[in-house]
Amino acid sequence: MNRLARFLLLGSLGIAAMPVAAQEPQKIKGPDERYKVDILVVVAHPDDEAAVTPYLARAIYDLHKTVAVVFGTRGGSGGNDYRREHGPAMADVREIEARQACAKLGIDKVWFLNGKDTASQNVLNSLANWGHGESLEELVRIVRLTRPEIIITWLPGIFIGENHGDHQAAGVLATEAFDLADDSVMFPEHLAGASKRLEPYLENLTPWQPKKIYYFSDANDQKQFAGHGFAYSVREVSPSQKKPYWLLALRAAEPHLTQFPDEIHRWSSLSDEQIQKAMSDPNKLWWSEPETLLFGKSMVPGTKATDDPFAGTAVSIDFHTELRTTVIGKETHRIELRLGGPWDFYRDFRKRHNLENLPEAATPGIAIKSGTTLTIPLIVEHSPAIGASTLKIDVDTPQGWRVESGAGSFQLPLEKLTEMHVDIAIPSLTADEAKAKGTGEVTVRAELDGKSLGDVKLKVQLVSGGVPQ
Ligand SMILES: [Zn+2]
């Protein structure tokens, strides 16, 4: 018997003679921990992330948190201030600029939804143009993959300022994803897949409930948000980086050349010391001091709006408690006039998503360009439905503004909710005149069969640019 044969024989005898070893339990593969993050940022456009990079720098460098960013669009519209590429080619460029900007803070998990830039202040235009359902599914998928503790996103609401519909759409989608990602009947195909090896369309993701959601806004007046969330200093010096957070954020914005080439060239030629000297005036900074992360809601019991976002997030929580019990109140006998369009959408959206503590404008308002038409969407609710009622609409405007349509007497159809709108031509003003005349207020009054339905007021700020209404 040669040595090999003896070895094999002994080996086999040996195995037969040994007691049977306890079988190793089969390993169930867990989710991919490389993709688990602490913070998921959901914004609309490449460069929007810069609104919160001072906070992200703090979270990453000094709190050792991990971050992923989702952009709603790839930024292919608008002007290229750097070189000549435009349209889809510029979207290719802007995607890389955004990835490089995130990479400067060490963020390598960056996704883009299929949204298209939509130049309007109406969130419904953006949701329609982005493919609301497709975008939401993808965002829920990303939440289930990245399992964030907190989500930070644009404020879904209407405030005088840039008031970009795309920004608001990012906030709407992030809020919806916050509420849906843990719900196993929403996109259940994401969660299925463990039973068979070859189910190429099932995803094996994890249902996930983020613990808190915070917002930031493009409103002109940031002071109105004081006290509504977690305030953080942008001028504080990072203990680990020995630089103020605003400077780390500014350096991270340097790849966005197609948007701010002049500023970026100016900063990038300056040393950290020079740039700090140049920015010693707080009004020159892009960010307010302090900045506020507006508190949306929390799954952690006892959370206060001003708490640190990560307070209480370390404990595991039974999420399946209160959140989904909200029912929109059934208001059967209601007769009123109210703002329609995006204002009416947000009225229901905030109720449905438990966001009624989120700040809203004291008087509804919008900024629009002089020389354009202001459209005021209205809803006349006359429930239960009454037919053959006569509605009378009166409109008060500042001097020189002209009501084009929507005022007068109307016969209402037999329905509970009637949508209509008032159009008002705003005279063309020079930039100086617009500044001097500042803000105007429009009041719309309604009467139904001679009975007052009350009025709605809209504050209108005239500006020389910005996205159209
Ligand atoms: Zn933007």
Side-chain angles (χ1 to χ4, degrees):
M1 201 181 282
N2 65 33
R3 282 175 70 186
L4 176 65
R6 232 171 73 195
F7 174 77
L8 290 174
L9 179 68
L10 287 174
S12 65
L13 287 173
I15 286 165
M18 295 256 289
V20 179
Q23 212 174 359
E24 278 284 305
Q26 273 187 302
K27 270 212 177 108
I28 298 171
K29 281 187 196 160
D32 193 334
E33 293 306 327
R34 296 172 303 168
Y35 288 85
K36 166 91 181 76
V37 297
D38 298 303
I39 301 172
L40 181 67
V41 176
V42 181
V43 291
H45 310 122
D47 89 348
D48 285 357
E49 81 289 350
V52 284
T53 41
Y55 179 73
L56 299 182
R58 170 190 297 268
I60 291 167
Y61 291 126
D62 296 311
L63 306 174
H64 310 291
K65 302 296 183 189
T66 49
V67 177
V69 181
V70 178
F71 292 92
T73 86
R74 298 167 70 238
S77 303
N80 183 343
D81 291 335
Y82 182 60
R83 291 292 187 262
R84 69 184 190 193
E85 288 76 10
H86 255 272
M90 191 171 65
D92 289 345
V93 171
R94 290 232 165 120
E95 175 175 339
I96 299 297
E97 289 179 343
R99 289 185 186 282
Q100 289 173 337
C102 290
K104 285 211 168 199
L105 293 171
I107 302 166
D108 61 359
K109 289 163 196 75
V110 178
W111 287 278
F112 291 79
L113 306 179
N114 262 332
K116 292 188 200 82
D117 298 332
T118 312
S120 124
Q121 297 186 49
N122 184 340
V123 63
L124 303 175
N125 285 340
S126 297
L127 289 169
N129 200 27
W130 284 24
H132 190 163
E134 189 195 338
S135 293
L136 179 59
E137 183 185 353
E138 181 59 11
L139 193 55
V140 169
R141 175 180 287 121
I142 292 169
V143 171
R144 288 170 170 174
L145 177 65
T146 58
R147 293 163 286 141
E149 300 302 316
I150 69 172
I151 290 182
I152 302 178
T153 185
W154 281 113
L155 181 66
I158 305 168
F159 291 88
I160 285 180
E162 187 178 6
N163 195 36
H164 204 304
D166 285 348
H167 294 174
Q168 298 170 46
V172 166
L173 287 165
T175 305
E176 290 171 340
F178 181 97
D179 282 356
L180 296 181
D182 195 44
D183 187 336
S184 56
V185 299
M186 290 309 302
F187 307 115
E189 64 281 14
H190 289 178
L191 309 174
S195 57
K196 283 187 182 174
R197 287 188 60 202
L198 292 174
E199 287 286 10
Y201 307 113
L202 302 180
E203 301 183 42
N204 248 333
L205 284 167
T206 312
W208 188 256
Q209 177 60 65
K211 295 199 179 82
K212 300 182 183 180
I213 185 164
Y214 288 86
Y215 300 94
F216 54 93
S217 167
D218 60 14
N220 290 348
D221 172 16
Q222 293 287 322
K223 289 200 189 92
Q224 65 187 308
F225 302 132
H228 285 277
F230 173 67
Y232 62 96
S233 168
V234 303
R235 302 192 82 90
E236 195 177 318
V237 173
S238 157
S240 66
Q241 305 302 302
K242 320 280 184 224
K243 294 175 190 181
Y245 290 115
W246 68 262
L247 180 56
L248 296 163
L250 197 71
R251 292 294 189 212
E254 284 178 355
H256 291 297
L257 270 174
T258 56
Q259 312 211 47
F260 321 101
D262 298 339
E263 282 118 306
I264 291 169
H265 279 137
R266 222 172 27 248
W267 314 327
S268 48
S269 63
L270 298 178
S271 69
D272 285 349
E273 289 68 35
Q274 288 170 320
I275 205 165
Q276 289 187 68
K277 216 177 240 171
M279 296 287 189
S280 59
D281 174 2
N283 296 321
K284 283 190 182 164
L285 282 187
W286 276 357
W287 303 275
S288 326
E289 174 67 3
E291 282 278 336
T292 301
L293 287 177
L294 298 171
F295 174 66
K297 57 181 169 178
S298 169
M299 307 302 292
V300 179
T303 303
K304 287 200 286 293
T306 51
D307 280 352
D308 184 284
F310 284 96
T313 57
V315 287
S316 92
I317 293 158
D318 177 16
F319 295 123
H320 299 272
T321 45
E322 293 158 50
L323 191 75
R324 288 188 197 89
T325 58
T326 317
V327 176
I328 295 177
K330 284 264 173 286
E331 296 151 329
T332 41
H333 293 277
R334 173 183 277 277
I335 296 182
E336 70 166 12
L337 172 76
R338 62 175 185 266
L339 281 170
W343 282 279
D344 194 54
F345 162 68
Y346 281 129
R347 178 178 169 267
D348 292 343
F349 177 82
R350 287 176 176 226
K351 272 188 205 165
R352 177 64 185 82
H353 293 283
N354 288 349
L355 289 173
E356 286 169 296
N357 291 327
L358 211 55
E360 57 186 343
T363 306
I366 196 158
I368 72 162
K369 204 174 160 185
S370 76
T372 61
T373 297
L374 168 71
T375 296
I376 304 179
L378 298 170
I379 287 183
V380 179
E381 185 162 354
H382 41 112
S383 176
I386 338 160
S389 290
T390 305
L391 178 76
K392 193 163 154 275
I393 298 278
D394 284 311
V395 184
D396 291 343
T397 68
Q399 220 180 8
W401 298 20
R402 187 172 51 81
V403 177
E404 287 180 330
S405 66
S409 283
F410 305 89
Q411 203 71 40
L412 285 183
L414 182 63
E415 59 183 4
K416 289 180 191 168
L417 285 177
T418 301
E419 296 196 36
M420 51 195 303
H421 55 91
V422 169
D423 288 334
I424 299 167
I426 295 177
S428 272
L429 303 174
T430 65
D432 284 344
E433 284 171 334
K435 223 180 211 168
K437 301 210 168 157
T439 309
E441 192 172 86
V442 176
T443 304
V444 181
R445 265 187 296 277
E447 269 180 21
L448 192 66
D449 294 330
K451 238 175 48 201
S452 170
L453 295 184
D455 58 22
V456 299
K457 288 184 194 304
L458 188 68
K459 203 159 92 179
V460 183
Q461 186 168 313
L462 300 182
V463 289
S464 49
V467 286
Q469 187 188 3

